[in-house]
Amino acid sequence: MNITSFFIYCVVATFTPGPANMVILHSVHHYGAKKAMEYVGGATVAFGILLASSVVLNRLLAGIIPNIVGIMQIIGSLYMLYLAYQIFRMDSTESKPKQSANFLSGLLMQFVNPKVVLFTLTVIPSYIMPYYTSSLASFLFVMIITVIGFFAFTTWVVFGAIFKRFLAHHHKLINTLMALFLIYSAIMVSGIL
């Protein structure tokens, strides 16, 4: 196993902008870092569950993965478009957005986040299973990847907290950019381009 390639893949896939990271940035802006960390907690738990599920179910799902990926792409793209609309129409004068950034919303978002689902379905069979067969090794790699994901989510919280004043001053521009990133993600995930 090429450990360098493994870590590069994990870091790039988790730290780059995606639906969960955009929601985290948005949550910091509207709720603050403490509330956004609740969302991060849910997102991290779901990330770990998805990785563990990939280990357990990889061989069973091998025959039907294309169907699962297609369904997740459609559901995920529609959900990302919904989030983009919600973020775009958000007004900074609102005391709180209607949606709450909490543990449960972070947990549920990951299960319909095609970026995360596709990552978890590819990292385990590509980097772990060909080289390690023991349950302990699989568990350790699930934990390592989950920690990398947690650091990625937390980095977005810190970024949002540091630049909170800038984000508040330019809320319409930031909301528009976040909405456009989500729309772009939805288009790319759906396979339209």
Side-chain angles (χ1 to χ4, degrees):
M1 175 178 158
N2 183 339
I3 198 78
T4 303
S5 175
F6 165 74
F7 278 113
I8 288 171
Y9 180 56
C10 290
V11 168
V12 167
T14 57
F15 278 82
T16 54
N21 295 336
M22 291 296 103
V23 172
I24 289 168
L25 188 60
H26 176 74
S27 297
V28 171
H29 175 67
H30 290 283
Y31 298 108
K34 184 177 178 182
K35 191 70 173 168
M37 285 304 293
E38 289 180 31
Y39 182 92
V40 166
T44 303
V45 169
F47 188 56
I49 291 169
L50 286 166
L51 285 164
S53 297
S54 178
V55 170
V56 173
L57 301 174
N58 188 59
R59 287 186 179 85
L60 296 174
L61 295 175
I64 57 172
I65 283 177
N67 294 336
I68 289 173
V69 170
I71 291 168
M72 290 306 297
Q73 285 175 318
I74 292 167
I75 293 170
S77 295
L78 292 173
Y79 186 66
M80 282 188 277
L81 290 173
Y82 169 75
L83 286 176
Y85 171 73
Q86 292 295 322
I87 289 171
F88 177 75
R89 72 181 195 93
M90 183 71 53
D91 183 2
S92 68
T93 60
E94 294 180 32
S95 59
K96 280 199 172 188
K98 292 179 179 80
Q99 286 184 288
S100 179
N102 57 33
F103 183 88
L104 184 60
S105 64
L107 183 82
L108 296 176
M109 170 64 174
Q110 292 299 69
F111 288 108
V112 296
N113 181 346
K115 178 184 172 189
V116 169
V117 171
L118 292 173
F119 171 75
T120 59
L121 288 175
T122 58
V123 71
I124 299 298
S126 299
Y127 287 98
I128 311 305
M129 290 183 153
Y131 305 101
Y132 301 96
T133 56
S134 77
S135 297
L136 179 61
S138 296
F139 173 76
L140 289 174
F141 277 105
V142 165
M143 295 307 296
I144 290 167
I145 299 167
T146 302
V147 168
I148 292 169
F150 173 76
F151 284 136
F153 299 145
T154 304
T155 299
W156 281 88
V157 171
V158 171
F159 174 79
I162 290 171
F163 294 103
K164 189 171 183 169
R165 283 183 195 225
F166 175 82
L167 296 173
H169 185 66
H170 300 288
H171 73 277
K172 191 60 180 172
L173 173 65
I174 300 300
N175 285 357
T176 301
L177 288 174
M178 287 191 294
L180 289 173
F181 275 127
L182 283 171
I183 291 168
Y184 173 76
S185 296
I187 290 169
M188 295 308 293
V189 165
S190 71
I192 293 173
L193 294 180

